[in-house]
Amino acid sequence: MTTGRSTAVPSRAPAGSAERIWRVRGEADVPPALAALAPDTDTDADGDEAGPASTVTMTMTQALNQALRDAMAADERVLVLGEDVGRLGGVFRVTDGLLAAFGERRCLDTPLAEAGIVGFAVGLAMYGLRPVVELQFDAFAYPAFEQVVSHVAKLGARTAGRLRPAMVLRIPYGGGVGAVEHHSDSSEAYYAHTAGLKVVTPATVADAYSLLRDAIDDPDPVVFLEPKRLYWTRSPVDLPARAEPLGRAALRRAGRDVTVVTYGATVPVALEAAEAAAGRGWDVEVVDLRSIVPFDDGTVVASVRRTGRCVVLHEAQGFAGVGAEIAARVQERCFHSLAAPVLRVTGWDVPYPAPKLEHHHQPGVARILAAFERLQWDDEPDTRWLDPPGGRTS
Amino acid sequence: MTTEATGGLGQLVAGLLPSPSPIRFLDPAGEPVDEHGGYRPPSDELTVRAYEAMALVRRFDTQATALARQGRIAAFPSSSGQEACQAGAALALRPGDWLFPTYRDSGALLSRGVDPLEVLAPVRGHRHCGYDPLAHRCAPMSTPLATQAPHGTGLAVAARWKGTDEVALVLLGDGATSEGDFHEALNFAAVFRAPVVFLVQNNRYAISVPLSRQSAAPSLAYKGVGYGVRAEQVDGNDAVAVLAVLTEAVGHARAGLGPMLVEAHTYRMGPHTSSDDPGRYRDDDEVAMWRVRDPIERLRAYLRGRGLLGDAAEAAVAARAETLAAQVRAGVADDARVAPTEMFDHVYAAAPPVLAEQRAALLSELGADGEGAR
C-alpha cells in the first residue's frame, strides 16, 4: 500500500424491492379446479417435520422449500441467491427459513439486478459451487437473457465441458393469480429454444420436490419453471420423493381415444377436461411432460400411437410455442397412427392480458372440449381452416 | 463501518477517487518523470520480463494480422499499442489467480503462458475456445461486451469464501463500460467485497465510436466512486506505471480490501479487426500522435538507459519473437481438423436422445465410412 488512502466501504443493507412484491395469495384462494391432482386430505400442519420416507401433506411451495433445504443439507456447494430470498424468504416464501438454517453464504440476498445475479452465479459455478438462483418473476428474468443464452447455456460447449455451469434458475411463471402486468408470462419457449439448457416444470407437489432435487444434482444448467397458480395446491407426498431421472414424462391419466400432451399449470386443466370428456364418451389420456428439455419422445409417441389422436395444451401463446414443436414431433413420428390432425390448445397470441381478462386468455375446459370435437370422430374432415380469418391470398 | 468512523464522507470519497491525472513513471522518451503518485515501481527483474512479454505480444500480433490479411485465419482483433496492458495484466497475477479476457486480449493470454495456437482457435475456426480454462485459470475470451465482468466477480467471491487469497482480473474496453453488465459487476463486487480487479483498456474507440460518445465522465476511472469501488487511472502505454498500479490493485484485492477499477489510457493503433477500415473514422494525425507514445519503444529506451537491456539480450528477445512467429505460421498452415460430430459432444454433460439422433443423422450425411469427417 503506497497511496495511504482509506479503502473502507460503508456496509449497506441488501437492496430491497418492496414495490415489486405484489400480493401473495393465501391458500384459501386456490381455485377449486386444481383439486384433480391435489386432493386436500391434509390433517396435519406443515411439512416441516418431514423425515426420510414419511408421508406429509404440503403445498407446492413447501415442497420446493423442503427440496432446497434437503439439497443444501446434502451438499455444501449448494447455495440459493436472488432478490428477497433471505430475510423475507422469497416473495412466494419458497426460500423461507433457509437464511436462518444455513447462514448468509448459503442464502444470499443480492442487489436488484437480474443479469448481475445470473452472471455472478456463473462465476460461482465456475469455481465449483452449485448456485440455485431465484429470478423473482417470469418477465423480470428477461434482463438476464443474455447471460442465460450466451453464457449459462453455452459455456459447457464453448469449453469442451471444462466449465459447465451446474446451476438452477428458478422462475415462477404463468398467470392465473390475478397479478398486475409483467407477472404472468409463460416464457418457456425462449429457454426451450436455447440449446444447452434443460427446462423442467412440475405439475404436482411431489414432482416439485423431486424435480428440483434432480435439477440441483444435474450437471447441466436447468431452468426450473414454477407454475404460480399451482403454488398453493396441497397434496400428501412421501419424502424424500425421488422418482425417475430428469427427462421422463408422466402418464397422469390413462385413456384410449385421445392423448393430451401438456405440462405445468395446465396439467390439472387437462385432467378436468378429461373428466368432462368422459361424459361425452371420449376416453382421454393425459401426458405430463415434466421436462420440456430433454423431451421424452418415447412416452409421447407411445401414447399417441395407442390413441391415434393428439391435442397439445399449454397456457403460453401458441405461435412458435413449445406446442408447435410437440405437434411437429408427433406428426413426424406418429403420422400413420393419426386419425386426425394434431391440434393445439393454447393462450391467444397476445401479450398477457389484464387480470380481469386472463380467464378468457387461458385455455380452459371449454376450449379443450372444442378441440376434442374437431378430432374427426366421424371421419369428417375438419373444415375450420378452409376459410381462414383474413381471407385467402389469391 | 460508518462514515463517521472513517473521518467523514469527504475522506471516504477521497479514498476511492483516482488520481487527477494518469499515473506515469516514464515520459514517451522513456525518461523517468515524477508523476507516480506514490506507487511503488516494479522490480527491475519484472520490468525486464515485461519487455520480453511485450515484444512477443507485438510479434504475435503482427503475425496474426498478416495471417488474417492472407485469409489464413478468419479475422484478428489487434491489440497493437496496448502491449503494456496486455503483458502487465498477466504479470500482475499469480498462477493461482484468474484472468477474464476479451477477444482483444490474445496478448494477455500469451503472456500468461497459453499456447499461441490455442489462443487463435476461435479465428482458426475449429473451436470457440482453444485452451483449457481450468488449467490456465483463464476464462474463455468473451465476445459479448462486459458479460465476463459478473463472472469474474462471482468467481472471486467464491474463492474468498473458500478461504483462498486468489484474485480475479477482468479485462474490459472503454466501450464495455457503457454496458449494463459493467455496472452490475462493479456494484456486486463492491457490495460483496469481491477480490476482483477491473482493468479498462481505454483505447479510445469502440470499433468506430469515439470515447466522447461512450461517456461524459471526467475519465472512466471516476465511475468507481459511485459504486464504492476504489479506482485509479494510469498511462496505459507506460509499462512501468501499468505494472506498478496493477500490482497495487491486485494486492489490494488479495488483502481483502475489496475490488479495484483501473483505467489504462492507451490507443488501438490498428483497426478494430482485420475487417475494419479505421480511415473512415479517425485521422492519420491522431494515429501519428500515438505512434510516438509506443509502449515498447518507451520501455526499451528506459531499460537501455538504465543498463538493464543490452544488445545481446535484445537480440535474444527478437530471436524468441521470430521463433514464436514461425510457430504460429506453421501451426496455422497445419489445418486444424476436428470431428464434425464434436459439435454435439459438450452441449450437455450427456447427450439427450434428441442430440444422439441428430449426431447419428450427421454421421449418416458424412457416409458410413466417416469420409468427410474433418
Side-chain angles (χ1 to χ4, degrees), chain A residues 270-357:
Chain A
L271 290 168
E272 201 179 336
E275 291 305 311
R280 301 174 60 171
W282 296 320
D283 190 12
V284 177
E285 184 148 302
V286 176
V287 174
D288 170 7
L289 289 176
R290 302 199 283 202
S291 167
I292 298 171
V293 182
F295 188 83
D296 185 356
D297 281 300
T299 298
V300 172
V301 166
S303 172
V304 176
R305 284 186 182 158
R306 272 198 308 274
T307 62
R309 289 176 172 83
C310 179
V311 170
V312 183
L313 169 68
H314 59 57
E315 178 179 312
Q317 58 271 34
F319 191 87
V322 168
E325 174 65 25
I326 299 169
R329 300 184 82 79
V330 169
Q331 182 271 133
E332 286 168 348
R333 288 162 178 76
C334 305
F335 182 77
H336 298 289
S337 306
L338 286 171
V342 180
L343 298 182
R344 285 174 289 162
V345 177
T346 69
W348 311 122
D349 292 319
V350 297
Y352 198 87
K356 285 188 174 173
L357 303 178

Side-chain angles (χ1 to χ4, degrees), chain A residues 165-237:
Chain A
M167 58 195 288
V168 177
L169 303 175
R170 291 183 40 244
I171 307 176
Y173 82 117
V177 296
V180 297
E181 64 172 344
H182 307 301
H183 291 75
S184 297
D185 284 11
S186 289
S187 44
E188 64 269 26
Y190 306 128
Y191 304 110
H193 193 65
T194 302
L197 301 177
K198 289 177 176 171
V199 184
V200 304
T201 179
T204 70
V205 176
D207 271 5
Y209 180 90
S210 63
L211 282 176
L212 185 52
R213 291 294 307 273
D214 290 346
I216 293 169
D217 288 349
D218 202 273
D220 295 308
V222 179
V223 175
F224 190 89
L225 296 165
E226 300 172 2
K228 283 197 274 302
R229 66 174 148 139
L230 301 186
Y231 263 158
W232 303 277
T233 52
R234 299 173 77 87
S235 178
V237 288

Side-chain angles (χ1 to χ4, degrees), chain A residues 119-171:
Chain A
F120 185 81
V122 168
L124 298 176
M126 287 170 78
Y127 205 78
L129 295 177
R130 296 221 161 201
V132 181
V133 171
E134 176 170 309
L135 292 163
Q136 203 162 72
F137 283 94
D138 34 60
F140 295 150
Y142 300 151
F145 199 64
E146 183 186 22
Q147 284 291 344
V148 174
V149 171
S150 294
H151 299 287
V152 174
K154 292 178 181 169
L155 195 55
R158 288 170 71 212
T159 60
R162 295 291 285 159
L163 287 180
R164 187 175 302 288
M167 58 195 288
V168 177
L169 303 175
R170 291 183 40 244
I171 307 176

Side-chain angles (χ1 to χ4, degrees), chain A residues 1-3 5-12 79 81 104-105 108-124 126-127 129 143 146-147 150-151 153 155-164 194-198 219-221 293-295 297 329 333, chain B residues 1 6 11-12 14-19 37-40 98 100 128-129 132-135 137 139-142 144 147 150-151 153-155 157-159 161-162 164 166 181 184 187-188 190-193 227-228 230-232 248 252 257 346-350 352 354 357:
Chain A
M1 188 71 54
T2 54
T3 56
R5 288 181 171 153
S6 162
T7 53
V9 175
S11 64
R12 30 176 89 84
L79 74 158
L81 67 157
E104 200 179 24
R105 285 188 186 174
L108 191 67
D109 270 327
T110 65
L112 206 166
E114 292 76 12
I117 294 168
V118 174
F120 185 81
V122 168
L124 298 176
M126 287 170 78
Y127 205 78
L129 295 177
E146 183 186 22
Q147 284 291 344
S150 294
H151 299 287
L155 195 55
R158 288 170 71 212
T159 60
R162 295 291 285 159
L163 287 180
R164 187 175 302 288
T194 302
L197 301 177
K198 289 177 176 171
D220 295 308
V293 182
F295 188 83
D297 281 300
R329 300 184 82 79
R333 288 162 178 76
Chain B
M1 197 179 299
T6 61
Q11 191 178 329
L12 175 62
L16 300 175
L17 284 174
S19 305
Y39 284 86
R40 200 192 332 255
W98 273 78
F100 286 77
H128 293 313
C129 176
D132 180 345
L134 286 173
R137 298 210 158 204
M141 285 185 275
S142 188
T147 52
H151 303 169
T153 304
L155 180 138
V157 168
W161 284 348
K162 201 182 174 190
T164 78
E166 295 159 14
D181 279 15
E184 296 188 25
N187 193 41
F188 272 66
V191 167
F192 294 119
R193 279 178 96 75
Y227 301 106
R230 182 184 161 198
E232 188 52 279
E248 163 78 13
H252 175 89
L257 300 173
H346 301 291
V347 182
Y348 296 94
V354 169
E357 285 169 19

Side-chain angles (χ1 to χ4, degrees), chain B residues 117-131:
Chain B
L117 290 161
E118 292 181 356
V119 171
L120 287 174
V123 286
R124 292 171 71 200
H126 60 294
R127 287 203 177 95
H128 293 313
C129 176
Y131 51 88

